[in-house]
Amino acid sequence: MNTSMEMTPLPSHPPEGAGILHLGLGNFHRAHQAVYTAKALEHQNGPWGIVGVANQSHRIVDALKEQSGRYSVLTLDEEHPRGDVLAVHTDAFVAAEEPDRVTAFIADPAIKIITLTVTENGYYYSQVSQGLDRDAEAIQHDIAGGAPRTVIGQLARGLRARWQADAGPLAVVSCDNMNDNGNVLQAQVREMISAMDESGHAESHASADLLAWIKEHVAFPCTMVDRIVPATEERHSSMSRELTGLSDAAAVPAEPFTMWVLEDKFPAGRPAWEIAGAIFTEDVAAYELLKLRVLNSSNSLLSYLGLLLGKDLIAETLRSDPQVRTVVEHMMRTDMLPTFAAPAAIDVDKYVAELFDRFGNAAVGHRSRQVGSDGSSKLAVRITEPVLFHAERGRVPAGLALLAASYIRVFTNPASYPADITGRPEDPWSERLIEAGRLHQDPQDLVQAVLVDLGIFSERLAMAPQWLRLVAELLDTLETEGVASAIDAALARGRD
Ligand code: CS2
């Protein structure tokens, strides 16, 4: 490797220690929290290097080791792509191979912050029990003790060790797209600790004391994270070499836009992330709702319509037909924005306009398949409350019905789209969804099965019968007449 041509990394000096443990060493973390931390350290050094933990995969861990912790972030706009080299990770390893190291780090007084990017699935949140998904095998395994397989188990075990070691306060920061992410995470961890105790697991005595200690010493700030970060592809390595001089097996492509909004609850200190543009506010909930309901739901709608249209990229789908943008904007404005109070500091019209520019950025190359993956847990978070909000007011949100119908069509009938062009989205529920598709020929029955009976979504959706009927109608239209007719039908119903 020719290092002489490499650009100076960010920060340009090594951090004064490693105070952050990050669980989930994927692209999003490396293009988001890591960048904020590197910029903060560049301005003001401190003990905020990051120890990165991958759950299973070696790919990034090996690359970071090989590259002395350096990797590149490629900021892709259509005219001026830019590359930066980061050097903010001081160590990296794989949790599945070294579970005890995860525990040891959590119990280490030098660690002051744990951040997490583990996706919606990583929380094992059951819409049915509104808590830990006790049916999940990995959760049952973690409750029974032994090397944890889930991040909830890792935190339960690690916090116990920290408490026993009297290692001091800590902030545990969810950076995933969940409603009320800090509080949900805290509740999941607490439930895991109690469940381990009830199971009689030898190491889990004195839960009440541990839970009291967590309440007093461990903060779970809520956060809103935002940056579109696609998966790394072949072409990004050569792009990295051109833009930064680094031969990089861990390059991360990302859009220019970035935003991070957090509650300022860090009992053991934190980097000066505000220097890098992070916003600290008590009103994170408003930003979370804006992001999940307006950005993420629209992204999901674009991905499923895109799959059904045979479009590989989100940007292609958006550009394919003006009606696509019309129906997405309809969902944003009529179905989503009325359901919450947007943050006072945000100009909603500007936000929406900017969002369409972001989705339309073809240089980013965000794939329909990637956004469509894990649709079951994503949609449960994104649409349930807004549907119920309208149902309580006697209204039927048609854009949300199109979103649900297109998700159902994609996952219950794999023949409904050209997977050889778009790729197949993954989802832990996919086999059960295909089975439901086989069992229920009648759209009404299929909608009832997927949205109410299976346990993917809250059964409370049964309280929106008119909406469920519209989902079934649109599902039928998708099947018999195709996407364009279903969009027209949704728009017509939405304007009623
Ligand atoms: C996307 C998000 O995959 C998805 O469901 O909607 O990953 C989205 O790109 C990010 O949340 C943007 O911040």
Side-chain angles (χ1 to χ4, degrees):
M1 187 181 1
N2 175 5
T3 50
S4 59
M5 300 288 294
E6 267 174 44
M7 60 195 294
T8 311
L10 198 67
S12 52
H13 42 253
E16 284 163 3
I20 301 177
L21 181 72
H22 182 79
L23 305 176
L25 193 52
N27 276 12
F28 185 72
H29 159 68
R30 302 201 318 290
H32 191 273
Q33 306 95 61
V35 176
Y36 283 85
T37 305
K39 287 187 179 164
L41 285 170
E42 180 65 11
H43 196 265
Q44 181 183 313
N45 207 358
W48 302 116
I50 303 173
V51 176
V53 184
N55 202 30
Q56 302 266 351
S57 160
H58 268 270
R59 200 174 66 80
I60 302 302
V61 168
D62 292 351
L64 288 183
K65 287 202 164 140
E66 177 81 8
Q67 298 166 193
S68 315
R70 285 165 309 156
Y71 68 94
S72 53
V73 175
L74 309 171
T75 302
L76 304 178
D77 71 21
E78 287 179 289
E79 273 146 40
H80 306 289
R82 163 197 165 100
D84 290 285
V85 172
L86 267 82
V88 66
H89 294 85
T90 53
D91 198 356
F93 65 99
V94 177
E97 282 166 11
E98 299 186 83
D100 293 342
R101 262 187 99 190
V102 179
T103 312
F105 269 113
I106 299 176
D108 182 344
I111 294 293
K112 312 287 188 201
I113 298 171
I114 300 176
T115 49
L116 268 75
T117 47
V118 294
T119 77
E120 293 85 339
N121 285 337
Y123 291 78
Y124 291 88
Y125 181 80
S126 158
Q127 295 290 336
V128 177
S129 71
Q130 311 261 296
L132 213 51
D133 180 1
R134 307 272 184 122
D135 293 335
E137 215 183 293
I139 289 293
Q140 289 169 2
H141 165 94
D142 286 5
I143 290 175
R149 288 194 198 148
T150 71
V151 80
I152 305 297
Q154 286 163 356
L155 287 169
R157 193 192 204 210
L159 290 175
R160 177 176 295 280
R162 191 172 182 98
W163 166 60
Q164 283 163 343
D166 199 16
L170 181 73
V172 184
V173 191
S174 163
C175 301
D176 286 296
N177 291 322
M178 304 277 293
N179 283 309
D180 205 20
N181 55 10
N183 293 320
V184 167
L185 175 61
Q186 165 156 223
Q188 296 295 84
V189 171
R190 297 179 78 85
E191 189 178 337
M192 172 61 79
I193 289 170
S194 304
M196 287 172 90
D197 200 7
E198 284 153 23
S199 82
H201 169 48
E203 284 174 32
S204 60
H205 56 283
S207 299
D209 293 347
L210 169 56
L211 292 174
W213 178 83
I214 290 176
K215 200 165 209 134
E216 199 171 328
H217 299 282
V218 185
F220 291 84
C222 284
T223 67
M224 187 285 278
V225 292
D226 192 5
R227 188 169 194 185
I228 294 175
V229 181
T232 303
E233 298 175 7
E234 231 15 64
R235 65 196 166 99
H236 297 125
S237 308
S238 49
M239 208 183 260
S240 166
R241 214 167 305 119
E242 272 164 40
L243 292 172
T244 69
L246 180 68
S247 260
D248 189 359
V252 191
E255 67 165 339
F257 182 95
T258 180
M259 192 172 187
W260 196 8
V261 182
L262 309 92
E263 283 178 311
D264 202 354
K265 296 202 282 194
F266 289 83
R270 61 168 174 80
W273 285 317
E274 62 276 15
I275 287 171
I279 298 169
F280 287 91
T281 168
E282 281 172 20
D283 196 17
V284 173
Y287 286 90
E288 270 184 342
L289 291 174
L290 179 68
K291 206 249 162 169
L292 286 165
R293 295 191 183 175
V294 179
L295 185 158
N296 291 116
S297 304
S298 305
N299 214 0
S300 294
L301 180 55
L302 285 166
S303 88
Y304 296 119
L305 294 179
L307 288 163
L308 294 171
L309 288 165
K311 305 285 180 204
D312 193 13
L313 302 180
I314 296 290
E316 273 181 80
T317 306
L318 186 58
R319 291 172 181 193
S320 65
D321 177 346
Q323 286 294 82
V324 169
R325 176 174 171 145
T326 306
V327 79
V328 173
E329 188 158 351
H330 173 85
M331 186 177 79
M332 289 175 178
R333 290 190 183 275
T334 311
D335 299 353
M336 291 306 207
L337 283 168
T339 66
F340 63 97
I346 296 281
D347 174 337
V348 169
D349 289 332
K350 241 172 96 189
Y351 183 87
V352 167
E354 190 174 25
L355 206 44
F356 280 110
D357 289 342
R358 294 171 63 193
F359 288 147
N361 179 346
V364 170
H366 210 195
R367 299 199 180 271
S368 312
R369 187 201 63 75
Q370 184 182 356
V371 179
S373 284
D374 298 331
S376 301
S377 53
K378 287 177 179 173
L379 256 53
V381 169
R382 297 173 188 186
I383 71 173
T384 308
E385 296 309 322
V387 168
L388 293 171
F389 175 96
H390 289 291
E392 276 163 23
R393 290 159 181 78
R395 299 200 293 253
V396 182
L400 288 170
L402 183 65
L403 171 53
S406 54
Y407 149 81
I408 295 173
R409 178 113 183 103
V410 163
F411 279 109
T412 59
N413 183 351
S416 62
Y417 63 97
D420 54 333
I421 300 174
T422 60
R424 221 176 260 306
E426 291 169 5
D427 192 302
W429 289 86
S430 61
E431 276 171 33
R432 282 164 286 182
L433 287 166
I434 291 173
E435 181 60 20
R438 254 191 243 116
L439 280 173
H440 303 287
Q441 302 301 321
D442 177 51
Q444 193 76 52
D445 294 344
L446 182 55
V447 166
Q448 171 73 23
V450 175
L451 297 182
V452 183
D453 299 337
L454 274 182
I456 301 174
F457 293 85
S458 163
E459 324 145 318
R460 288 181 304 141
L461 281 182
M463 295 183 316
Q466 285 177 300
W467 180 76
L468 292 171
R469 261 197 302 281
L470 180 58
V471 177
E473 264 175 58
L474 295 175
L475 181 58
D476 192 43
T477 309
L478 281 172
E479 185 175 347
T480 53
E481 296 171 42
V483 172
S485 302
I487 291 177
D488 289 345
L491 285 170
R493 289 297 295 268
R495 287 175 191 135
D496 277 353

